[in-house]
Amino acid sequence: MRDRKEAARRAKELVAKMTLEEKAEQLKYGAPAIPRLGVPAYNWWNEALHGVARAGVATVFPQAIGMAAAFDAELMKEAGDVIATEGRAKYNEYSKQGDRDIYKGLTFWSPNVNIFRDPRWGRGHETYGEDPYLTGELGKAFVEGLQGDGEYLKSAACAKHFAVHSGPEALRHKFDAKASEKDMRETYLPAFEKLVKEAGVEAVMGAYNRTNGEPCCGSTTLIEKILRGEWQFEGHFVSDCWAIRDFHTQHMVTDTAEESAAMALKAGCDVNCGNTYLHLLKAYEQELITEEDITRAAERLFTTRFLLGLFDGSEYDGLGLEKVECKEHLALAERAAAESVVLLKNDGILPLKKENLKAIGVVGPNANSRVALIGNYHGTASRYITVLEGIQDAVGEDVRVFYSEGCHLFKDRVEGLAEGPDRISEAKAVAEHSDVVILCVGLDETLEGEEGDTGNSYASGDKNDLLLPEPQRQLLEAMAETGKPVILINMTGSAMDLKYAQEHCAAVIQSWYPGARGGKVIADILLGAISPSGKLPVTFYRDTEGLPDFEDYSMKGRTYRYLTEEPLYPFGYGLTYGDVQLKSVSCGGQEAVKGGKVALKQEDFSVKATVVNNSSIAQDEVVQVYIKADSANAVPNGKLCGFARVSLKPGESSTVEVPVDKDAFTVINDKGEKLIDSSSFVVSVGFGQPDERTKILTGKECLKFTVEL
């Protein structure tokens, strides 16, 4: 039943039969059964960031930031569909046994489309990076996959955290994120708007913090005016967990739990993740809310349940355990991992040729770590393949593989009674006996993640700086000093300071958190079975020196669009093993030449690129289109307005049509108004940004030309 009007009619009819107390109880995330009306219990809280999470076995895809690096909207849609399939299968199996516990419903609190504006933010790896257009396109595709196109919603997706939310984690319960109208409309809101208007996302979750003085889960500006008013959102709104309690305990905008519950409900928050809505009836008694307020929220929630087919049955009821972590789903997760890995440096050492090697040294705290594969908000895999295991499997008995942990992830020693550093000597011995060293460093979800969800209590999941933990820096220097070629694999969900590695390592790879069996893909890339093709969805800064204060939500000096200093590795950058060249570009059907001009109407703006693989190996590349308006309101460095992944056989040439942003020519003024105030635009087409650093690192230039409207 994708007919919202009919679902809403039935919801209204059902809710009308409930008592006030029954309606109020349905607004809790753990909604109880109402046996007399045939309403089963339902828990609204489930997670599906990169696979069905926290409810047993599921296919574990690369962390969201890794999938973003694939620059592949179709992949995101396929991943969303797989996750919804597994979610339905698990829901069906659990429901048969009367298990309606947390993490076992069909309302997935994903995706996270917040903007990764500062590399210190611990939860950034849950996002699709720093660019609003990329985030919106990938989020839209993921939602379409999750919700499906059947008679009923396959699952209900949720865009979070609305709206201006990206750290600091330690302050989130009391923090006021102050953003200008321009930054709101240019950076923080576009992805949410796209998911509401174009993807039809069924739910939106509010953030913990305040935005411009209003707590996000009780903001009339965000929820009433923008979300439900401007964007005509018809789904349900959910609070972040225990965020409403923060109104009176942290933000101090209310005095009591009753006032907080009333503020959220009246603003349009329908379901409370937390327990503050236990006070709704008292709020009613105090005349802070009306029965109509409670009824309206309950009707929205039951509309979603009807759309999911939870009272009628649906075409998905036959899905069972056979569909969970099946062969096809694992193959897609492997493809996602392959597309996500970003090659940052290669002096020619990669790909490794097995026949030329006698011994490989695999070193580092993340080399044999399962935790470093999965990121946060993850499910449980039936099998994990670490980088060490992947390399061992790939080379078999033909090449000796030596291994050393090298150091603890962040402590100065591995063994508590030893003197630190206690694994350096072993790592040096491994290097001495190896032809090449694969050094696996980085973080994991215990060092970067969500406040309260991480062991990194001193920074609440955020990073204090961009440096690797000191023991890892010592290990990196020790390996570089051995004289053996070092291939660094950085397993993090965020940008790190990799200056030393860029200067001293033969190759540098950013693998993110590549999923449960990501070690197999990394081994295949190292040995040339796969050519890397990922692109950075975030800027890798040289350090934090030029960054604005973490608490400053102004975009000035942040992300590639506003950056004033040269980055170490730019947004959109990534190398391959081959040589793919841009052969020609047409714009609006007209040939575009370097430095030339193309005159066309706005509605005729389109980009086609012909690319050729001059290599003897198959390659994937990502064609990227950037645009810069001749306007004082334009972002200083231009913006991504189109991307398309293309697969090429050896020697193959292909013409790809790049989907372009319908708002490519628009800018946002200081009042937050979207407009076109220029007739001249510089368009750049290539395999990365049109910046000098990308040119230096890749040896390739974008094709730049002017479009005149």
Side-chain angles (χ1 to χ4, degrees):
M1 178 195 295
R2 297 304 275 270
D3 184 343
R4 181 171 289 278
K5 285 186 178 179
E6 174 61 13
R9 183 195 66 77
R10 293 179 65 187
K12 188 179 185 70
E13 187 177 82
L14 179 59
V15 171
K17 299 174 183 177
M18 299 178 189
T19 66
L20 173 64
E21 291 77 8
E22 287 171 334
K23 285 185 282 191
E25 284 204 313
Q26 292 301 306
L27 310 193
K28 301 185 298 186
Y29 74 88
I34 309 176
R36 69 181 185 85
L37 296 178
V39 175
Y42 185 77
N43 199 299
W44 291 87
W45 188 345
N46 204 352
E47 305 285 356
L49 184 63
H50 54 118
V52 182
R54 299 177 175 177
V57 171
T59 302
V60 181
F61 286 86
Q63 177 59 296
I65 193 72
M67 290 202 285
F71 276 62
D72 190 341
E74 185 56 39
L75 171 71
M76 294 303 302
K77 186 172 183 177
E78 291 179 42
D81 180 62
V82 161
I83 293 166
T85 295
E86 296 196 359
R88 273 283 179 175
K90 293 166 81 68
Y91 173 81
N92 293 340
E93 297 286 3
Y94 296 147
S95 296
K96 284 179 192 174
Q97 302 182 50
D99 184 356
R100 298 181 182 277
D101 198 7
I102 191 171
Y103 307 132
K104 294 172 183 175
L106 293 172
T107 39
F108 291 126
W109 291 349
S110 301
N112 182 340
V113 291
N114 291 132
I115 297 300
F116 198 176
R117 68 179 179 97
D118 191 298
R120 292 165 288 199
W121 186 34
R123 297 190 74 178
H125 55 110
E126 298 177 28
T127 77
Y128 301 132
E130 69 184 37
D131 182 68
Y133 177 69
L134 179 67
T135 297
E137 288 297 297
L138 299 183
K140 173 187 170 184
F142 191 64
V143 168
E144 290 173 343
L146 281 176
Q147 298 192 164
D149 56 4
E151 183 181 355
Y152 291 89
L153 288 175
K154 197 170 187 180
S155 66
C158 176
K160 68 182 187 185
H161 309 85
F162 192 57
V164 186
H165 177 74
S166 55
E169 284 293 297
L171 304 177
R172 66 182 186 172
H173 297 286
K174 58 185 178 183
F175 185 68
D176 186 11
K178 297 177 181 177
S180 69
E181 284 297 319
K182 180 176 175 64
D183 285 339
M184 289 282 285
R185 301 290 180 162
E186 190 172 72
T187 297
Y188 296 117
L189 295 181
F192 288 98
E193 183 176 8
K194 181 166 289 186
L195 266 58
V196 169
K197 287 183 171 181
E198 298 181 27
V201 69
E202 182 62 21
V204 173
M205 175 185 280
Y208 284 109
N209 53 275
R210 281 170 286 154
T211 293
N212 295 327
E214 293 181 279
C216 295
C217 293
S219 170
T220 54
T221 300
L222 289 175
I223 305 173
E224 285 188 3
K225 179 185 173 186
I226 297 174
L227 183 63
R228 296 197 186 279
E230 288 182 30
W231 301 346
Q232 296 294 293
F233 174 67
E234 295 182 312
H236 68 268
F237 192 96
V238 56
S239 76
D240 208 338
C241 298
W242 284 265
I244 298 175
R245 179 182 64 188
D246 290 341
F247 292 7
H248 59 279
T249 63
Q250 299 281 342
H251 294 303
M252 313 309 286
V253 296
T254 56
D255 293 323
T256 66
E258 292 83 3
E259 289 179 2
S260 295
M263 183 181 197
L265 185 67
K266 291 187 81 65
C269 182
D270 303 307
V271 61
N272 174 208
C273 182
N275 54 18
T276 308
Y277 274 11
L278 293 174
H279 298 271
L280 281 176
L281 292 178
K282 285 187 177 180
Y284 171 77
E285 291 171 3
Q286 295 172 21
E287 299 184 349
L288 298 173
I289 56 173
T290 64
E291 182 170 356
E292 287 71 26
D293 294 327
I294 295 173
T295 300
R296 182 177 60 247
E299 288 175 352
R300 286 179 185 144
L301 296 178
F302 276 95
T303 298
T304 297
R305 290 176 73 170
F306 276 112
L307 287 169
L308 285 164
L310 300 189
F311 295 99
D312 306 322
S314 74
E315 65 264 50
Y316 310 114
D317 291 354
L319 296 172
L321 204 60
E322 294 76 18
K323 285 294 186 181
V324 176
E325 210 190 35
C326 61
K327 180 180 178 181
E328 295 79 13
H329 295 179
L330 290 171
L332 185 66
E334 187 173 319
R335 176 185 145 205
E339 292 187 13
S340 74
V341 172
V342 185
L343 180 61
L344 299 174
K345 178 187 176 180
N346 183 18
D347 70 358
I349 192 171
L350 292 176
L352 297 173
K353 294 179 174 56
K354 190 168 72 170
E355 60 271 20
N356 295 340
L357 299 170
K358 294 180 179 179
I360 296 174
V362 182
V363 176
N366 277 345
N368 200 32
S369 169
R370 287 184 171 187
V371 181
L373 296 173
I374 54 178
N376 65 354
Y377 284 93
H378 56 80
T380 302
S382 64
R383 185 186 179 201
Y384 298 84
I385 302 176
T386 65
V387 176
L388 173 64
E389 292 165 341
I391 292 171
Q392 289 171 330
D393 293 345
V395 300
E397 296 182 0
D398 298 333
V399 180
R400 175 65 192 271
V401 178
F402 293 106
Y403 166 65
S404 172
E405 187 176 354
C407 67
H408 188 275
L409 190 68
F410 61 90
K411 297 178 182 177
D412 69 347
R413 68 202 71 187
V414 173
E415 298 294 339
L417 296 178
E419 294 181 2
D422 60 337
R423 289 290 184 267
I424 287 278
S425 57
E426 181 186 44
K428 289 180 177 177
V430 164
E432 184 180 330
H433 288 81
S434 303
D435 299 311
V436 62
V437 175
I438 312 298
L439 179 58
C440 300
V441 298
L443 307 171
D444 62 27
E445 67 166 328
T446 68
L447 290 182
E448 62 171 349
E450 183 174 5
E451 178 263 343
D453 232 18
T454 157
N456 186 19
S457 57
Y458 65 87
S460 298
D462 294 330
K463 303 199 299 279
N464 289 325
D465 51 46
L466 306 185
L467 297 171
L468 291 167
E470 187 176 354
Q472 296 190 48
R473 300 200 302 272
Q474 293 174 350
L475 177 64
L476 170 56
E477 292 177 12
M479 292 299 92
E481 289 168 0
T482 64
K484 295 297 177 74
V486 176
I487 298 168
L488 183 106
I489 298 176
N490 186 50
M491 304 178 76
T492 64
S494 55
M496 305 296 291
D497 180 348
L498 297 178
K499 291 195 300 291
Y500 185 90
Q502 174 67 16
E503 294 170 8
H504 295 91
C505 294
V508 180
I509 289 173
Q510 178 68 28
S511 72
W512 316 103
Y513 302 129
R517 304 188 184 189
K520 176 185 182 299
V521 167
I522 292 171
D524 285 343
I525 286 174
L526 290 171
L527 293 164
I530 300 170
S531 174
S533 59
K535 304 291 183 181
L536 292 180
V538 290
T539 300
F540 272 49
Y541 304 87
R542 294 181 180 274
D543 48 45
T544 57
E545 291 301 311
L547 282 175
D549 188 89
F550 193 3
E551 298 174 28
D552 179 3
Y553 266 74
S554 166
M555 289 306 296
K556 185 178 180 180
R558 295 189 186 280
T559 76
Y560 79 94
R561 293 175 306 143
Y562 282 96
L563 197 61
T564 55
E565 298 184 7
E566 184 182 71
L568 182 64
Y569 303 121
F571 172 91
Y573 164 70
L575 301 171
T576 70
Y577 287 159
D579 178 28
V580 177
Q581 294 287 342
L582 189 67
K583 199 172 179 182
S584 64
V585 172
S586 66
C587 182
Q590 305 174 51
E591 183 181 1
V593 297
K594 182 179 179 180
K597 293 182 180 180
V598 173
L600 47 75
K601 295 179 180 179
Q602 180 186 353
E603 58 269 24
D604 295 332
F605 181 52
S606 63
V607 175
K608 286 185 178 180
T610 301
V611 294
V612 59
N613 180 8
N614 294 324
S615 318
S616 58
I617 56 174
Q619 295 285 305
D620 272 20
E621 253 296 3
V622 178
V623 179
Q624 301 170 45
V625 180
Y626 294 83
I627 194 164
K628 173 71 164 65
D630 182 14
S631 163
N633 291 309
V635 293
N637 300 325
K639 62 181 182 180
L640 180 73
C641 70
F643 60 91
R645 176 172 280 266
V646 57
S647 298
L648 299 164
K649 297 173 183 176
E652 183 181 9
S653 177
S654 178
T655 299
V656 57
E657 181 157 0
V658 185
V660 290
D661 185 4
K662 62 181 176 57
D663 290 326
F665 296 111
T666 65
V667 294
I668 305 294
N669 66 17
D670 290 339
K671 295 179 181 178
E673 298 167 332
K674 184 188 296 183
L675 67 156
I676 298 176
D677 64 354
S678 170
S679 60
S680 181
F681 304 82
V682 175
V683 176
S684 303
V685 183
F687 305 121
Q689 273 190 76
D691 66 312
E692 190 62 27
R693 181 63 177 163
T694 300
K695 178 182 172 182
I696 291 170
L697 290 168
T698 64
K700 298 177 182 178
E701 282 189 79
C702 289
L703 176 66
K704 282 188 182 182
F705 57 96
T706 299
V707 168
E708 293 185 340
L709 298 183

